[in-house]
């Protein structure tokens, strides 16, 4: 019997504590997945917030140990740039996470340098090749932008309604051409963890998780509430959606939440 989908919020004093806790959650999720199945799949978040988490995961000797050679690594999204460009999400992972034991994983890089459409088609085939026709990632890591976007799913974007597992998107700021997993692909994950830090995210987090400053109902009716924000649409269909926040990003939440 699949337990009902559920959402949990944990709040940490600063980014270092957030990264350490997130690393523990990732390790435990992957270790449990590998105890149940021969392989596990992890979707990496883009942006800059995960850097501390990726460095933490690259540390040797941490527990529980992860058999990284049995893990398939994917990305939630990528920019249409070469892998050695500073804007590349892969580049951040290569310089942090993949510099340690996770470098033994099977890495499925989105080849953004091909251009969004070709890279998206290749990536969708790579996912199907690794996980089958209806993949369910064991864990998807996601960030949130100040506008409530996640991966490269932007407010009002056509990509929000895209079918299938991978689509292209046009970001409101450069680099504009993107490849992204879809709402369906991310929500099919057995577990989803949002990693959010910084006061500039507090308003979006409050709208998504319900803040003191948010009048629910009317705001949603006006299309300004959580429902309009892409990050609010991503919930693990069968498992837990865990929001890991630093205190600055949680500033707009109702007192006592988390
Ligand atoms: C991207 C990310 C994006 C990111 C948020 C938060 O490619 O930009 O996938 O969704 O997670 O924009 O970015 P920061 O962590 O840099 O604030």
């Amino acid at each position: 019997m699949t337990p009902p989908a559920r959402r949990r919020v944990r709040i940490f004093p600063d980014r270092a504590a957030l990264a350490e806790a997130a690393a523990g959650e990732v390790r435990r999720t992957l270790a449990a997945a590998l105890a149940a199945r021969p392989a596990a799949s992890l979707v990496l978040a883009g942006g800059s917030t995960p850097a501390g988490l990726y460095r933490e995961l690259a540390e040797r000797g941490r527990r529980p140990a992860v058999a990284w050679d049995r893990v398939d690594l994917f990305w939630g999204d990528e920019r249409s740039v070469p892998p050695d460009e500073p804007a590349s999400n892969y580049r951040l992972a290569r310089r942090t996470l993949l510099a340690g034991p996770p470098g033994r994983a099977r890495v499925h890089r989105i080849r953004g340098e091909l251009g969004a459409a070709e890279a998206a088609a290749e990536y969708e085939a790579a996912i199907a090749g690794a996980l089958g026709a209806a993949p369910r990632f064991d864990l998807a890591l996601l960030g949130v932008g100040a506008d409530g976007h996640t991966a490269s799913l932007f407010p009002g974007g056509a990509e929000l309604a895209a079918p299938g597992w991978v689509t292209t998107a046009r970001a409101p700021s450069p680099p504009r051409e993107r490849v992204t997993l879809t709402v369906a692909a991310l929500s099919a994950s057995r577990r989803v963890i949002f990693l959010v830090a910084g006061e500039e995210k507090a308003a979006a987090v409050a709208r998504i998780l319900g803040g003191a400053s948010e009048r629910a109902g009317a705001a949603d009716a006006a299309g300004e509430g959580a429902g309009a924000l892409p990050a609010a649409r991503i919930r693990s269909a069968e498992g837990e959606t865990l929001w890991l926040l630093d205190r600055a990003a949680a500033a707009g939440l109702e007192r006592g939440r988390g």
Side-chain angles (χ1 to χ4, degrees), residues 78-83 108-116 118-120 122-123 179:
E78 185 57 278
R79 295 82 178 271
S80 294
V81 297
H108 304 275
R109 179 174 75 85
I110 304 173
R111 293 204 298 163
E113 66 273 23
L114 299 177
E118 187 175 348
E122 181 186 76
Y123 190 47
V179 177

Side-chain angles (χ1 to χ4, degrees), residues 110 116 119-125 127 162-168 179-182 185:
I110 304 173
E122 181 186 76
Y123 190 47
E124 186 147 28
I127 294 171
W165 299 99
V166 181
T167 189
T168 60
V179 177
T180 186
L181 291 179
T182 60

Side-chain angles (χ1 to χ4, degrees), residues 84-182:
D84 52 0
E85 278 213 7
S88 164
N89 287 333
Y90 166 78
R91 179 177 182 266
L92 171 70
R94 193 190 67 228
R95 295 158 66 98
T96 53
L97 182 75
L98 303 182
R104 296 199 295 267
R106 291 183 291 266
V107 174
H108 304 275
R109 179 174 75 85
I110 304 173
R111 293 204 298 163
E113 66 273 23
L114 299 177
E118 187 175 348
E122 181 186 76
Y123 190 47
E124 186 147 28
I127 294 171
L131 304 182
R136 287 192 9 239
F137 302 109
D138 287 295
L139 176 57
L141 299 174
L142 289 168
V144 177
D147 63 354
H149 81 262
T150 189
S152 282
L153 302 165
F154 296 98
E159 63 275 6
L160 287 168
W165 299 99
V166 181
T167 189
T168 60
R170 185 162 174 76
S173 56
R176 295 187 188 280
E177 296 308 308
R178 308 283 185 100
V179 177
T180 186
L181 291 179
T182 60

